[in-house]
Amino acid sequence: DAEITQSPRHKITETGRQVTLACHQTWNHNNMFWYRQDLGHGLRLIHYSYGVQDTNKGEVSDGYSVSRSNTEDLPLTLESAASSQTSVYFCASSEVAGWEQYFGPGTRLTVT
Amino acid sequence: AQTVTQSQPEMSVQEAETVTLSCTYDTSESNYYLFWYKQPPSRQMILVIRQEAYKQQNATENRFSVNFQKAAKSFSLKISDSQLGDTAMYFCAFISGNTPLVFGKGTRLSVIA
């Protein structure tokens, strides 16, 4: 069955380190998204992509970057992790812009 | 910019009863989609129901139904015959054209036995 996976599921890192969270989907969806979820804020969009080589900034993109070299993957990089980036991160994909998104299981990141 | 507001941070309901979760949104677009997502303690985001703005008929999915009032920009979720497994965070979301989903801050629903 097609699916969307995230790795790692849990990560603890130190302030200042570079961290990359992986997202892989097997639906062949063009659209992929990264969100962070924090108590009291719901889900906030970090970056998104509508196809290979396309990336766009979301609401809370500072300190994060993404690159899209193929359809299946959209890795999220924290260039220099900060304690404010402790959060749960969700990846999602959709077949068509404007349609429902399917979410991965999430990655809990703790920056100490 | 589009915004989505869920005014009820927490709600509770007795098992087998009916509960309604509120959602309002703000947009100048005429064509858009609205969604309700459920996030149980497992953290997985699950699509509950979808409504196309151009459809007057309210969407239903088994025990879940919506009351879509386009003029009032209101999109409430009704859960009938509540079950313990309905305990979760519920997020209302909006999308229009080529823009990403915009989420509300969520409503935490507890179903009490």
Side-chain angles (χ1 to χ4, degrees), chain B residues 59 66 76 86 107-108 112:
Chain B
V66 299
S76 59
D86 296 333
T107 296
R108 184 177 301 278
I112 303 166

Side-chain angles (χ1 to χ4, degrees), chain B residues 8-19:
Chain B
Q8 306 150 315
E10 294 188 25
M11 296 188 71
S12 61
V13 63
Q14 293 287 331
E15 198 174 6
E17 297 295 310
T18 296
V19 63

Side-chain angles (χ1 to χ4, degrees), chain A residues 66-91:
Chain A
V66 293
S67 63
R68 187 91 179 271
S69 59
N70 59 54
T71 301
E72 296 79 19
D73 300 288
L74 186 69
L76 177 71
T77 298
L78 287 68
E79 303 294 343
S80 177
S83 58
S84 60
Q85 294 176 309
T86 292
S87 186
V88 178
Y89 291 86
F90 286 96
C91 179

Side-chain angles (χ1 to χ4, degrees), chain A residues 23-80:
Chain A
C23 176
H24 178 80
Q25 52 97 2
T26 58
W27 280 301
N28 204 36
H29 287 169
N30 281 325
N31 308 316
M32 297 184 72
F33 309 85
W34 274 105
Y35 298 88
R36 60 177 288 175
Q37 183 178 21
D38 305 287
L39 197 62
H41 289 278
L43 281 83
R44 292 183 291 175
L45 183 66
I46 305 171
H47 281 286
Y48 59 102
S49 169
Y50 286 150
V52 176
Q53 303 300 331
D54 175 74
T55 61
N56 305 278
K57 293 181 178 181
E59 177 188 358
V60 290
S61 61
D62 287 348
Y64 303 94
S65 64
V66 293
S67 63
R68 187 91 179 271
S69 59
N70 59 54
T71 301
E72 296 79 19
D73 300 288
L74 186 69
L76 177 71
T77 298
L78 287 68
E79 303 294 343
S80 177

Side-chain angles (χ1 to χ4, degrees), chain B residues 33-53:
Chain B
Y33 295 84
L34 294 158
F35 307 91
W36 279 98
Y37 280 88
K38 170 185 177 180
Q39 186 181 41
S42 67
R43 213 167 61 195
Q44 181 69 49
M45 293 286 288
I46 302 165
L47 178 68
V48 174
I49 202 164
R50 181 182 69 177
Q51 175 77 44
E52 292 90 342

